[in-house]
Amino acid sequence: MLRLENITKRFSNGTLALETINLEVAPQTIVSIVGASGSGKSTLLRMISGLEVPSTGQLSWNGQPIQRSQRKISFIFQEPRLMPWLKVSHNVRLGLGPSPDREDEKLVTEAIAKVGLERFAHALPRELSGGMAQRVAIARALVARPSLVLLDEPFSALDAFNRLKLQNHLLKIWAIDRTTLLVVTHDVEEALVFSDRVIVLTGQPGRISEDFFISLPRPRRRTDPEFQAWKQAILDAFDPSLLNESETLGEKSYASGH
Ligand SMILES: Nc1ncnc2c1ncn2[C@@H]1O[C@H](COP(=O)(O)OP(=O)(O)OP(=O)(O)O)[C@@H](O)[C@H]1O
Ligand SMILES: [Mg+2]
């Protein structure tokens, strides 16, 4: 269980990024966080990973306070962040920390197989497509068998086709491993395809304004009228000012739910 109690975050320059965040995430669930740019989504994930320290409040995973670089919690970023001079298997091995042993080699092979890249284990990152590189990042995040994976807009740098492919792939892995996933995304449909819960952050400083428990059965179909109704409910929970702004930027279809 992930537990956040009365978390606030003020940066040293005075910016108050998050205020009074209370959140519990049950094991083996997928929870998405959506919200406007600047509402503190990345800051929240960075605190949960131990990369940032909250200004006030308590943070724990399975009853233990969260520490930096623990193997139980891993991170997937928007871009793969691979070491260009290391082959795929060595990039994946980085997820195990500084001194992997023989048993760990088996974990590397397993993680690469999980993302379907066996044939590319010895390839260099420059020999991979964008989607394949992000699959390496997923393997690196999963290799240490974490119990919690934090994903910050993991597929937003990919084209629509690859995004769908990787979303399905990650869901398939989840159906087997049942690792708890906490996903930050700008894409409400992505949140709905994945999640047991969708949390909406609004304002600056960011606060939790809505917490939707998504009762749709899996696998979910984007064309399903119920799916579309959920999408509209979530979009309605966004800052109204944000929707007006995006309409004037010509993103009307996003605001109106298409
Ligand atoms: N290291 C930092 N120092 C000072 N202020 C910061 C720092 N990191 C983030 N902020 C501020 O905290 C607020 C929240 O930022 P954060 O990156 O968490 O937003 P976000 O919701 O992830 O936005 P986006 O959707 O654009 O990624 C913003 O006002 C940002 O300027
Ligand atoms: Mg962010």
Side-chain angles (χ1 to χ4, degrees):
M1 167 88 80
L2 174 70
R3 180 171 285 145
L4 281 72
E5 288 170 276
N6 291 320
I7 296 287
T8 62
K9 176 66 183 179
R10 187 183 291 280
F11 287 103
S12 52
N13 67 358
T15 305
L16 185 60
L18 288 164
E19 196 169 40
T20 331
I21 302 292
N22 287 293
L23 177 65
E24 284 184 358
V25 175
Q28 307 195 324
T29 58
I30 307 181
V31 176
S32 288
I33 300 173
V34 298
S37 180
S39 58
K41 303 179 298 296
S42 296
T43 303
L44 192 62
L45 281 202
R46 289 172 59 81
M47 285 193 294
I48 295 166
S49 73
L51 288 169
E52 294 278 358
V53 187
S55 306
T56 65
Q58 307 292 325
L59 244 160
S60 64
W61 173 244
N62 293 340
Q64 302 291 320
I66 287 172
Q67 288 156 14
R68 215 181 146 148
S69 41
Q70 48 192 20
R71 273 169 70 150
K72 292 275 158 273
I73 301 180
S74 67
F75 216 121
I76 298 174
F77 300 94
Q78 188 170 0
E79 66 297 332
R81 301 194 183 187
L82 304 180
M83 301 293 175
W85 61 89
L86 293 180
K87 56 186 188 175
V88 163
S89 58
H90 290 178
N91 267 289
V92 171
R93 193 193 288 161
L94 290 177
L96 292 166
S99 49
D101 58 31
R102 201 176 261 262
E103 178 63 16
D104 286 343
E105 282 309 316
K106 227 175 81 193
L107 294 180
V108 171
T109 311
E110 268 174 32
I112 292 172
K114 221 174 247 180
V115 297
L117 286 178
E118 296 95 327
R119 288 197 301 121
F120 293 87
H122 301 291
L124 286 169
R126 66 178 145 79
E127 298 167 295
L128 306 175
S129 70
M132 286 157 74
Q134 194 62 342
R135 281 197 269 160
V136 177
I138 294 172
R140 182 184 55 200
L142 297 179
V143 68
R145 296 197 174 143
S147 47
L148 173 64
V149 181
L150 308 167
L151 304 96
D152 196 352
E153 302 190 34
F155 308 127
S156 61
L158 301 173
D159 62 79
F161 178 70
N162 266 307
R163 195 180 309 163
L164 288 183
K165 236 170 94 176
L166 254 74
Q167 286 167 353
N168 288 338
H169 201 104
L170 187 66
L171 272 174
K172 274 192 192 142
I173 294 173
W174 178 80
I176 298 163
D177 291 1
R178 294 280 167 155
T179 308
T180 309
L181 305 181
L182 194 55
V183 189
V184 163
T185 176
H186 272 119
D187 180 345
V188 174
E189 284 203 359
E190 179 170 284
L192 276 173
V193 165
F194 278 143
S195 310
D196 299 297
R197 263 166 91 186
V198 177
I199 288 165
V200 182
L201 279 186
T202 49
Q204 280 181 322
R207 294 188 180 87
I208 295 176
S209 64
E210 293 285 348
D211 188 350
F212 294 101
F213 285 74
I214 313 297
S215 52
L216 293 170
R218 299 173 193 273
R220 296 181 179 159
R221 294 166 53 90
R222 289 161 205 260
T223 47
D224 190 351
E226 251 192 289
F227 184 101
Q228 290 299 323
W230 272 110
K231 181 177 173 183
Q232 192 57 53
I234 294 167
L235 283 169
D236 288 345
F238 274 56
D239 284 339
S241 59
L242 170 83
L243 295 184
N244 291 336
E245 191 180 294
S246 52
E247 282 186 359
T248 56
L249 289 172
E251 293 176 21
K252 205 161 184 174
S253 60
Y254 175 68
S256 61
H258 290 290

